Amino acid sequence: MARDRRTAGSQARLGGRPRWLLSTGLAAAATALVCWPAWPGYMSFDSLLAYEQGLHGVYTMLWPPLHAYLFALSQAAGAQAWGLFLVQTFAIFFGANLSINLFARDARWAAALCLAFMASFVYVPGQMGVLFAHWRDVTTASFALLGLAAWLVAAHYRQLPLLLPAAAAFGAAVALRYNALPLVAFLLASMIWRPLLQPRPSGAARAAAAAAVVLSLGLAWASTHWRAPDLLRMPATENLAITQAFDLIGISACADRDLLPPSLNGQAPMSGMQIRQNYDPRHLNLSLAAKPGVRPFGRGKPDEIAQAWPSAVAREPGCYLAHRAAVFVEQMGLGRGEVFYPTHGGIDANPYGLALAHPKAAAWVNAYVARNAPEPWRRPILLYGAALAIGLAAAWRRRDLAGLFLAILAGAFAYVAALFVAAPAADARYIFPSNTLCALLIVLGVGVLAGEPRPPRR
Amino acid sequence: MGREGITAAAATCALLVLAGCARPAWTDPANSRDRRDLPAAPQTRRPAPILAEPLPPAPAWARGLIGRPLRSVFRRNGVCLGQTERVERLYTGRPAGLAVRGWGWDVASGRPVARVVLVDDDLRIVGAGEGGYPRPKLPRLAPAVTDPRAGWSARTGTASGTLRVYGVVAQGAQVCPLGQVEL
């Protein structure tokens, strides 16, 4: 694979340069600001499970194992949990900064846009709160932004081989969450269609890009079926049953009658009131949790749940949509109440000696997130509205790069659209990757629409 | 930026309005028109039998493991299918203790889990047991389980806290989680 000579002259021009020092310096500053108060990174049950599997080996594919492998690398480097925390945080800002610099002709304008991207995490406190935690959602966003930046670098230098790291980064993003493919699917398709963002790429260039994408997605898929390093074929998991259980409870609550399988209603019918007393659209676990004076649900068996789900949806399709909409409202921070679970706030009890290094600073930032996340003008949904308007406008203004802007936009919206039907809960972190893509698109779009100051003539 | 700016502002305002979404009325139990309360099914499971006997000793292979941290003995994870079902019996003699039962299947070898260890909240080994107990319905419920002798029973002197169960696999080199029971 070599430089694509045939179309080099007519290539879409990004206009800027990578400005490696500027991109790295600003990313390092942002990383320091984020990582210091939350050092070595907040850890919930999911985080500690991945950490444990990093230490002792993967034993379940209920969560995609790449997070555990990344912890294993961090542990092998002597960096326990903080190594991954540093890298995933740095990667988000470095990836964004590179992309921004590649669009901006002027270094000062690029720096301003980079700072605006950083500021988005403060303005939408849920973004900052999620960034403090060892959640796969952050790592997904890290790799997605690295993939985008690597692709733009490949286009800038007109080097097809640089598509390999781009594809690898996108593949890693897909490997980290079972629902992550929509986030980068449009970007991958764009990368295949116009590998170096040139108007008329050669067939060989497209084939090379497609091969890189197929390889990376294949490895992502394989990572969730065979564990490393012994390549043991892992048993299938029952992730779908978790969402289906949530749906059955929500449908029953909406329909005001029991549509639950015996294992979920404790082998005896429940009343609509009892189901509503338990139902919480924010999280399946909140619905299942025992409540004083309220008859609880049963544990639920995956095979019974899978059998009951289609008939319940067929009988009450309106209630299915109503339940999904109720969850989605909480997910997008559209509810009148608080944004659900914008940060974890600390490190759960663990046998690894992991504890907050700066608890007072952590308490301060946690209070900032808790106080400001519920404000209506700081909800994550605003990122989508702004990204839609600005992204479309930027695509109109720069029609040579419209495919790129629309791919970012489509990925963000497709990601949350998939969550509409698939989410077993409404944690704020679930939309972190798409929020981050929206924030980047807003900044890139503003850069395109506002027009940057021309560099002075020499 | 005139037209684009107006569009962005309009979208922002619309979203701010939407940000006031209240929970739907159907989520409120007070709005239910169904019967108010229905009783839970009667418990058909009998309580664990109480035996006025001492807790039997741990299997010979496990006696040197009791009290040791799990990860000092078994550093790597295996992969199993399995479940911890319930407390099977209580021993009120001296020493007192209890027995727990469940089932376990070693994915790598394709065989029932032959040995289990019980671990307390501090991840110390506090008990052990062995497999080979019949579970005739298991292959029908879990198709990957091809040998119905996948049941296990394990004993411990621990009487409170959370008891975590691990199957010992890979010739004793690995452990795999098989669930837990709250005491």
Side-chain angles (χ1 to χ4, degrees), chain A residues 52 56-57 256 273-274 336, chain B residues 20 32-33 71 75 77:
Chain A
E52 190 231 345
H56 302 297
D256 205 15
M273 187 196 78
Q274 288 170 323
R336 274 193 198 144
Chain B
S32 172
R33 293 181 186 175
R71 292 304 182 183
R75 297 193 64 81
N77 285 333

Side-chain angles (χ1 to χ4, degrees), chain A residues 430-452:
Chain A
Y430 288 169
I431 58 173
F432 178 87
S434 46
N435 293 351
T436 306
L437 272 191
C438 285
L440 178 61
L441 182 59
I442 291 167
V443 168
L444 292 176
V446 165
V448 165
L449 296 172
E452 60 186 279

